[in-house]
Amino acid sequence: MMEEVTASSDETDEKEAAERRRKRRQTLGQVLLDWSPVLARITTIVMQHLL
């Protein structure tokens, strides 16, 4: 009987962890999207100095 409770608890923990990973990925994607013009400009400047 204890194993059933533990399995259910493990499933819940896994689902919560997956949800946290999804939110973290979504946040990271939004940060990259917001900063993409800045990153593009920095890349352009660096490439100009290298060439």
Side-chain angles (χ1 to χ4, degrees), residues 20-48:
R20 285 192 302 270
R21 284 192 300 271
R22 188 187 65 75
K23 285 182 181 178
R24 195 171 25 226
R25 259 185 267 130
Q26 189 175 27
T27 302
L28 179 59
Q30 187 61 48
V31 167
L32 290 175
L33 188 62
D34 291 345
W35 280 90
S36 63
V38 175
L39 296 174
R41 183 67 181 139
I42 290 171
T43 302
T44 302
I45 292 168
V46 168
M47 291 305 291
Q48 287 173 348

Side-chain angles (χ1 to χ4, degrees), residues 1-15:
M1 182 133 185
M2 219 30 190
E3 289 179 16
E4 291 176 15
V5 171
T6 304
S8 178
S9 177
D10 287 346
E11 270 184 37
T12 303
D13 290 345
E14 285 180 31
K15 287 180 183 178

